Amino acid sequence: MTQDEKNELLLTQVVLMFQSAALQQMGKIKNPITEKVEQDLEQAQISIDILDVLYKKMKSNLTQTEEKMFNNVLRELKLNYIDEINKT
């Protein structure tokens, strides 16, 4: 595995970690520790904002694949967040 491949894999893992956290915080998936669906929309917004700032700061250094991943994950999270906000 080349260093570039390793870096892309690590970046993907970071993005997926924040995606999972945000989905848990929105109550879309179970918390693996408590095995309960919990909702904390304030924390979900923070997780989304962290991904958004990472994307904006790194945009000029991303591969096309990485940029597509960021765009897809951010779009999905923002749409789900709006959906949850509209429910309350």
Side-chain angles (χ1 to χ4, degrees), residues 7-88:
N7 289 343
E8 188 169 334
L9 178 62
L10 292 172
L11 179 61
T12 300
Q13 289 176 332
V14 168
V15 171
L16 294 177
M17 180 181 66
F18 279 104
Q19 178 187 36
S20 294
L23 289 171
Q24 285 174 33
Q25 293 153 349
M26 284 186 269
K28 298 287 189 181
I29 58 177
K30 282 183 187 180
N31 180 325
I33 296 169
T34 63
E35 290 295 319
K36 295 178 183 174
V37 174
E38 302 162 341
Q39 191 176 65
D40 184 341
L41 294 177
E42 205 171 296
Q43 276 303 123
Q45 182 64 63
I46 291 169
S47 293
I48 295 167
D49 288 347
I50 290 169
L51 271 179
D52 211 17
V53 80
L54 282 173
Y55 172 66
K56 287 174 183 170
K57 292 287 188 177
M58 297 171 58
K59 188 174 181 173
S60 62
N61 291 321
L62 295 174
T63 66
Q64 192 173 22
T65 302
E66 292 166 340
E67 188 165 347
K68 185 177 179 182
M69 173 190 60
F70 262 107
N71 283 322
N72 289 338
V73 168
L74 284 166
R75 182 177 46 251
E76 175 209 357
L77 290 176
K78 289 175 181 181
L79 289 173
N80 275 290
Y81 182 80
I82 291 168
D83 182 51
E84 290 303 316
I85 290 290
N86 288 336
K87 288 180 183 177
T88 57

